[in-house]
Amino acid sequence: MTVATPAMLEFDSVGHAYGSKVAVEDFSLALVPGEVACLLGPSGCGKSTLLRLAAGLESPARGRIRIDGRTVSEPGRVLAPERRGVGLVFQDFALFPHLSVEDNVAFGLSGAGRREVARAMLARVGLVDRARSFPHMLSGGQQQRVALARALAPRPRVMLLDEPFSSLDARLREALREETLALLRESGAATLMVTHDPDEAMALSDRIAVMRDGRLLQVGSPADIYHRPIDAFTAAFLGEVNELPGQVRSGRVETVLGAFAAPAWAEGAWVTAMVRPEAVRLDLHGRGQSATVADARQIGEALVLRLVCADGTRIRVRQIGGVVPAAGSNVGLVVDPDRLMVFPAAR
Ligand code: ADP
């Protein structure tokens, strides 16, 4: 028998509204120590509200939040943020401008050894030589590291991060992701991060919770959500898709890129089949469905193509390696049938 690890952070049927505006409805999720989970969804879907509820900055209208088994939020009773053992990192880093880097990191610490702990954390994020600097003297990436060091220094049981990389440029963001993930893992805290960027969610999380309109749509590993999204919205939100309208006949869905087994669907059902650009293969010998190359570009390691099928359907293909075909040439397109995602047609 396996014994389940007790949850460190637990949302139990949590709901919240601002006046008459419902921001979150019936949200449940449990994180274990050491886990990194992401709330992912478009702007306004309720991610930050959940983070603020977990931090104790908002009081829930419904449900309960527990940290390490203890109820910290329920309607009418909210344990103060500083008494929850949570570390917070916000989008704008929210460093104290009048305090040195070291004083920022030491801020939440008490006791005789606080300076040593602060310095050790700064060493861990590679900024010990900037201990006496003030936040405005640091780059965005360095400020982000200070914010992370400050949040981690008191050894929180739960880390809450709200779009922690969104104000940094793309290259820096990627470099900092790995460093941040290593620090979070090392801390052993349960981490909940908010992002609207699916690449960021996939790069950092053990599990992703996809949200829309205040509701949880799907929870799973990055691979689950990317390859087996629960609906067409989630499929398109996680990454580019080719949409192929089709109809089910004799257990197969017929699309412009071929017919595929669809045994679970009713005869005659109209569906939208979706396939990601990397699940369509170019066949230069003309096998597969015929299409004309509209545009082919090498973007870094990937060959990215736009093609047009005989009926005018546009298809995107992304593949690593292979010859760049000339615009206007005729090629075949072959879909990996295991990678086809079928959803009800949008009405
Ligand atoms: P996200 O973080 O996913 O962008 P939020 O949790 O910030 O979403 O917001 C969820 C919904 O609640 C949105 O419709 C937003 O406009 C609304 N909302 C957020 N904060 C407030 C507030 N302080 N007062 C009124 N409505 C708010």
Side-chain angles (χ1 to χ4, degrees):
M1 196 181 83
T2 54
V3 180
T5 311
M8 181 53 84
L9 171 64
E10 206 175 346
F11 296 86
D12 183 1
S13 307
V14 170
H16 190 64
Y18 299 98
S20 61
K21 167 77 199 161
V22 175
V24 173
E25 265 185 287
D26 196 23
F27 181 90
S28 297
L29 186 71
L31 276 68
V32 296
E35 182 179 22
V36 179
C38 233
L39 297 174
L40 174 68
S43 177
C45 72
K47 308 179 295 291
S48 297
T49 298
L50 282 166
L51 215 68
R52 293 172 58 79
L53 285 163
L57 300 168
E58 300 281 352
S59 169
R62 265 177 289 284
R64 265 188 189 74
I65 299 172
R66 295 186 199 86
I67 291 179
D68 205 7
R70 174 184 179 205
T71 298
V72 292
S73 295
E74 59 189 337
R77 203 177 69 82
V78 173
L79 187 68
E82 62 277 12
R83 297 183 54 207
R84 301 187 159 216
V86 299
L88 292 168
V89 179
F90 294 106
Q91 192 167 344
D92 57 3
F93 316 136
L95 298 176
F96 303 114
H98 60 293
L99 295 184
S100 70
V101 162
E102 182 179 316
D103 288 343
N104 262 282
V105 177
F107 185 81
L109 300 172
S110 53
R114 58 196 287 271
R115 301 248 144 243
E116 286 66 39
V117 174
R119 286 197 166 253
M121 265 324 292
L122 281 173
R124 182 62 192 84
V125 298
L127 283 174
V128 77
D129 57 331
R130 304 306 302 269
R132 305 239 154 268
S133 303
F134 285 87
H136 73 270
M137 299 157 79
L138 304 183
S139 70
Q142 289 171 330
Q143 290 185 32
Q144 201 268 3
R145 285 194 217 140
V146 176
L148 199 62
R150 181 180 64 180
L152 285 168
R155 302 206 143 271
R157 296 172 298 177
V158 171
M159 277 288 283
L160 303 171
L161 291 82
D162 195 351
E163 304 266 5
F165 307 105
S166 62
S167 62
L168 307 174
D169 69 56
R171 266 177 211 280
L172 187 57
R173 201 152 54 204
E174 266 179 46
L176 275 177
R177 273 180 197 158
E178 282 186 29
E179 194 178 314
T180 302
L181 187 58
L183 278 163
L184 292 171
R185 289 252 186 264
E186 212 174 278
S187 78
T191 299
L192 186 62
M193 191 178 89
V194 158
T195 183
H196 64 273
D197 176 352
D199 289 343
E200 193 151 290
M202 288 188 277
L204 281 161
S205 324
D206 301 309
R207 279 193 304 160
I208 297 176
V210 182
M211 294 190 64
R212 188 183 190 186
D213 297 337
R215 291 186 167 273
L216 181 62
L217 284 184
Q218 186 175 9
V219 185
S221 69
D224 278 341
I225 308 252
Y226 188 78
H227 293 301
R228 289 173 290 283
I230 194 164
D231 60 13
F233 164 82
T234 308
F237 193 74
L238 264 284
E240 211 178 328
V241 279
N242 291 298
E243 289 190 28
L244 314 171
Q247 195 174 19
V248 177
R249 295 205 183 281
S250 313
R252 289 163 76 76
V253 48
E254 292 173 0
T255 76
V256 67
L257 292 187
F260 305 90
W265 294 84
E267 177 69 16
W270 287 99
V271 296
T272 302
M274 288 183 160
V275 64
R276 299 210 182 273
E278 68 274 17
V280 185
R281 191 167 52 77
L282 212 61
D283 190 305
L284 299 179
H285 305 293
R287 281 180 293 250
Q289 305 296 314
S290 164
T292 306
V293 176
D295 183 56
R297 283 164 203 278
Q298 192 71 44
I299 303 179
E301 60 184 0
L303 175 58
V304 178
L305 301 112
R306 285 190 299 118
L307 303 110
V308 185
C309 300
D311 72 346
T313 305
R314 292 170 181 281
I315 302 291
R316 293 263 290 182
V317 173
R318 186 168 51 231
Q319 63 181 40
I320 306 294
V323 188
V324 184
S329 59
N330 209 264
V331 296
L333 294 178
V334 180
V335 172
D336 176 352
D338 294 335
R339 301 281 308 272
L340 196 80
M341 306 177 275
V342 184
F343 303 109
R347 267 172 285 167

